[in-house]
Amino acid sequence: GDSVTQMEGPVTLSEEAFLTINCTYTATGYPSLFWYVQYPGEGLQLLLKATKADDKGSNKGFEATYRKETTSFHLEKGSVQVSDSAVYFCALSDLRAGTALIFGKGTTLSVSS
Amino acid sequence: EPEVTQTPSHQVTQMGQEVILRCVPISNHLYFYWYRQILGQKVEFLVSFYNNEISEKSEIFDDQFSVERPDGSNFTLKIRSTKLEDSAMYFCASKPTGGNYGYTFGSGTRLTVV
């Protein structure tokens, strides 16, 4: 079945450092790919998405590019802030069919000043 | 911006009791989902609901679980006889029609079974 694999955390960075969180997927068909963020004590918020190969999703300085050839959707940010500390989940689904999201295990990011 | 609303935010129940978790999806959305997240672990899919019936369910969604859309606005998850391992955060989500429209999640119900 379809699955998502994320790099293990926690990831600990200093403010203004460069962030990469790796995500690879296995899927039949052509899924849409997502990054969700969960701040401490809160629910899941969509950070960005891409619906087809070579699309780049971006939001709040975060970016991820849908790479079909490497089945990857790595999350990057050029300069992290303390307020970016959260758990980040990579996910996939077939949006057009309305199928459920399949999540990776999540990566905890901790940014210190 | 429209929201998915979940109530209660936190529920404590005794083992063996029935619980009903409530969700009000966004009004023009047609697909509804329940997920759970055991503390510190991944978000797991439970069930999806479309056109007044279950469209997909995971292995977790056994006979102890049921879902309903009783009145055209609420979407409920019932756990018939709770177990300690049902303690988790339960998230409801909804989505408009098919097409490249995303999912909107509620802020979750934390269920604690004691």
Side-chain angles (χ1 to χ4, degrees):
Chain A
D2 295 358
S3 65
V4 175
T5 303
Q6 281 181 245
M7 63 186 285
E8 295 284 330
V11 174
T12 305
L13 296 173
S14 298
E15 208 164 24
E16 299 182 6
F18 184 85
L19 168 72
T20 301
I21 300 178
N22 289 339
C23 171
T24 57
Y25 67 91
T26 303
T28 55
Y30 304 96
S32 296
L33 302 174
F34 306 81
W35 279 100
Y36 280 84
V37 59
Q38 185 178 34
Y39 297 103
E42 296 187 15
L44 294 162
Q45 297 178 29
L46 178 65
L47 182 59
L48 53 85
K49 70 177 172 49
T51 56
K52 61 183 189 299
D54 300 324
D55 268 3
K56 178 188 282 187
S58 61
N59 186 24
K60 299 181 183 178
F62 291 89
E63 291 184 342
T65 301
Y66 188 163
R67 300 276 188 214
K68 189 161 178 277
E69 64 276 12
T70 54
T71 61
S72 65
F73 193 56
H74 305 320
L75 182 69
E76 296 182 336
K77 186 174 186 183
S79 175
V80 294
Q81 306 300 312
V82 172
S83 56
D84 293 327
S85 298
V87 182
Y88 292 81
F89 293 92
C90 186
L92 67 79
S93 82
D94 183 341
L95 264 182
R96 281 166 291 181
T99 55
L101 283 162
I102 296 171
F103 287 88
K105 290 186 176 180
T107 302
T108 300
L109 171 65
S110 178
V111 181
S112 57
S113 58
Chain B
E1 190 170 329
E3 290 184 342
V4 174
T5 305
Q6 289 187 245
T7 54
S9 57
H10 191 190
Q11 179 153 359
V12 180
T13 189
Q14 290 206 322
M15 194 167 54
Q17 294 297 303
E18 175 183 285
V19 295
I20 297 176
L21 309 183
R22 301 183 192 279
C23 170
V24 179
I26 293 172
S27 62
N28 63 346
H29 284 193
L30 300 179
Y31 293 86
F32 313 111
Y33 308 85
W34 283 102
Y35 294 82
R36 79 170 185 194
Q37 183 183 30
I38 295 171
L39 187 63
Q41 298 187 25
K42 70 187 291 186
V43 179
E44 300 172 296
F45 166 67
L46 294 177
V47 65
S48 59
F49 194 84
Y50 172 71
N51 202 24
N52 288 320
E53 61 184 22
I54 290 173
S55 51
E56 195 181 359
K57 61 182 180 179
S58 72
E59 291 177 353
I60 302 167
F61 193 87
D62 61 21
D63 292 343
Q64 291 284 82
F65 293 90
S66 62
V67 288
E68 263 194 332
R69 189 152 160 79
D71 56 13
S73 63
N74 289 283
F75 179 51
T76 62
L77 175 69
K78 183 192 292 186
I79 309 175
R80 260 180 268 286
S81 175
T82 49
K83 304 186 282 286
L84 294 177
E85 53 265 37
D86 294 326
S87 296
M89 182 74 95
Y90 288 80
F91 292 106
C92 174
S94 68
K95 180 183 180 310
T97 63
N100 293 334
Y101 302 101
Y103 307 79
T104 303
F105 280 82
S107 54
T109 293
R110 180 169 296 287
L111 176 66
T112 303
V113 182
V114 296

